[in-house]
């Protein structure tokens, strides 16, 4: 038996045929516009292509950026694709398939979290929280070994935990959300502010962005921090501290045994995780009198979302 994993990204659709162990054995990537019909046609087309080599595809698992209903078919809302408002994504795709199989849709952060849980750093944990530090901050919750979706499919929007009353305005329209302080965008904002305040210490960062602060990007800050640059480290300390505060708040509700931190910035490892662990210890309620959750880097890599979508499609 095989499954087809689909990852609908901002500019492309990636598809992978997975075997029984959720290992991707064949994959294709196709650029697309943010148009619902084109995306459906692209997925259906790639499914037909996969059928030419694999005649035993049992289900299609779709990882989608948006709020996905408890039915695992309907997208309530997506910031990326305007047509996805109470949109039966499964139904629209299923209608286009020559050989019918179920299409199971899951939120992208949930897929990545589940991929980490079954095949990555989460193995062996009972209650795991995954935080994906990318452009924004994604969350996934596993409770008692099961993905927790909430009553309406809206759980684990951890990037929108309100951390600062009347704080920075978030892309979601609310203010002070965690992802305004823990994300690749926050990393860039903290570094840029530090450059303006401390130009004498900014030599290396300015070199990396060719003298134009507006061109400064996360990977440049990661590189500077790994070289020991003081402002690069400062920016990571800032998002690390906010990450620790955010986890302490989550622990007050869920008391997990493990936090898995993923996303592009985790390439710096302990440069992010150490300040996060310290802040977690400091802000955790009854910190000295309770076991602390482990805080570790993700292991399943870039394909965690696909692996998770594949696994969830037949569960
Ligand atoms: Zn928000």
């Amino acid at each position: 038996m095989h499954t087809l994993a689909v990852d609908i990204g901002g500019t492309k659709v990636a598809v992978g045929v997975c075997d029984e162990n959720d290992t991707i054995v064949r994959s294709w990537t196709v650029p697309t516009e943010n148009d619902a019909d084109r995306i459906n046609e692209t997925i259906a087309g790639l499914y037909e292509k996969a059928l030419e080599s694999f005649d035993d595809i049992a289900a299609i698992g779709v990882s989608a950026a948006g709020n996905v209903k408890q039915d695992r078919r309907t997208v309530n809302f997506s910031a990326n694709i305007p047509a996805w408002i109470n949109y039966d994504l499964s139904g629209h795709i299923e209608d286009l398939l020559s050989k019918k199989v179920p299409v199971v849709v899951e939120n992208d952060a949930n897929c990545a979290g589940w991929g980490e849980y079954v095949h990555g750093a989460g193995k062996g944990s009972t209650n795991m929280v995954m935080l994906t530090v990318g452009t924004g901050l994604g969350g996934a919750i596993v409770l008692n070994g099961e993905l927790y979706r909430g009553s309406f499919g809206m759980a684990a929007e951890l990037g929108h935990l309100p951390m600062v009353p009347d704080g920075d305005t978030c892309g979601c329209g609310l203010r002070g959300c965690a992802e305004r302080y823990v994300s690749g965008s926050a990393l860039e904002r903290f570094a840029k502010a530090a450059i303006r305040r401390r130009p004498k210490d900014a030599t290396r960062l300015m070199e990396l962005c060719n003298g134009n602060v507006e061109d400064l990007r996360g990977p440049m800050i990661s590189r500077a921090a790994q070289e020991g640059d003081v402002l690069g480290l400062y920016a990571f300390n800032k998002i690390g501290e906010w990450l620790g505060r955010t986890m302490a708040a989550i622990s007050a509700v869920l008391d997990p045994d493990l936090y898995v931190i993923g996303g592009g910035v985790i390439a710096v490892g302990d440069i992010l995780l150490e300040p996060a662990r310290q802040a977690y210890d400091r802000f955790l309620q009854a910190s000295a009198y309770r076991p602390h959750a482990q805080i570790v880097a993700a292991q399943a890599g870039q394909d965690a979302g696909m692996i998770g979508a594949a696994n969830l499609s037949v569960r």
Side-chain angles (χ1 to χ4, degrees):
M1 183 209 65
H2 289 87
T3 54
L4 191 74
V6 179
D7 181 13
I8 304 174
T11 56
K12 62 183 173 53
V13 171
V15 161
V17 177
C18 297
D19 66 12
E20 272 101 348
N21 302 316
D22 306 320
T23 303
I24 299 171
V25 292
R26 187 85 67 83
S27 62
W28 297 271
T29 302
V30 175
T32 49
E33 310 135 47
N34 284 347
D35 177 82
D37 291 339
R38 293 299 310 280
I39 288 169
N40 299 338
E41 287 159 15
T42 303
I43 294 169
L46 289 169
Y47 170 70
E48 303 300 333
K49 193 174 227 173
L51 279 183
E52 290 170 13
S53 312
F54 303 90
D55 59 1
D56 61 345
I57 293 174
I60 301 177
V62 179
S63 163
N67 299 103
V68 179
K69 265 193 190 156
Q70 187 72 350
D71 65 4
R72 303 162 78 204
R73 300 179 59 85
T74 312
V75 182
N76 279 71
F77 174 77
S78 166
N80 302 338
I81 297 157
W84 284 5
I85 293 174
N86 285 320
Y87 184 82
D88 178 7
L89 181 56
S90 294
H92 279 90
I93 297 170
E94 283 165 3
D95 283 347
L96 302 174
L97 306 180
S98 62
K99 184 180 170 192
K100 303 290 176 199
V101 289
V103 176
V104 176
V105 181
E106 198 72 60
N107 167 271
D108 57 350
N110 280 357
C111 287
W114 188 252
E116 251 342 295
Y117 184 72
V118 286
H119 294 293
K123 268 192 270 183
S125 159
T126 305
N127 301 306
M128 180 201 92
V129 172
M130 166 117 178
L131 289 161
T132 304
V133 188
T135 314
L137 179 64
I141 298 170
V142 174
L143 293 182
N144 296 318
E146 294 290 334
L147 184 67
Y148 181 71
R149 298 185 179 84
S151 305
F152 307 104
M154 306 295 146
E157 289 293 336
L158 302 173
H160 301 286
L161 269 182
M163 296 300 292
V164 179
D166 301 323
D168 285 329
T169 303
C170 178
C172 75
L174 297 171
R175 295 176 70 176
C177 293
E179 78 169 26
R180 290 299 298 158
Y181 309 94
V182 188
S183 58
S185 328
L187 181 74
E188 289 171 14
R189 205 172 71 244
F190 287 135
K192 286 174 186 171
I195 290 171
R196 281 191 288 275
R197 269 197 318 275
R198 298 168 60 180
K200 281 189 188 141
D201 293 326
T203 319
R204 183 58 181 141
L205 284 179
M206 290 307 286
E207 208 173 84
L208 286 165
C209 65
N210 290 322
N212 189 351
V213 184
E214 287 316 305
D215 289 342
L216 187 72
R217 293 290 173 272
M220 301 172 196
I221 305 166
S222 295
R223 187 168 160 193
Q226 283 167 323
E227 293 167 1
D229 178 73
V230 62
L231 292 195
L233 288 170
Y234 163 82
F236 272 102
N237 280 336
K238 287 286 282 186
I239 66 164
E241 181 183 332
W242 279 107
L243 176 59
R245 283 177 182 261
T246 304
M247 290 187 291
I250 295 167
S251 281
V253 185
L254 296 175
D255 187 26
D257 54 80
L258 178 69
Y259 286 96
V260 177
I261 312 300
V265 300
I266 197 58
V268 301
D270 280 344
I271 291 174
L272 175 67
L273 292 181
E274 263 317 305
R277 289 183 186 119
Q278 282 175 23
Y280 179 74
D281 290 354
R282 195 157 78 241
F283 293 102
L284 186 67
Q285 187 266 338
S287 189
Y289 306 99
R290 63 190 280 177
H292 285 203
Q294 267 195 293
I295 299 167
V296 302
Q299 287 172 6
Q302 293 261 337
D303 293 329
M306 302 265 278
I307 292 167
N311 187 281
L312 286 167
S313 73
V314 287
R315 275 179 71 87

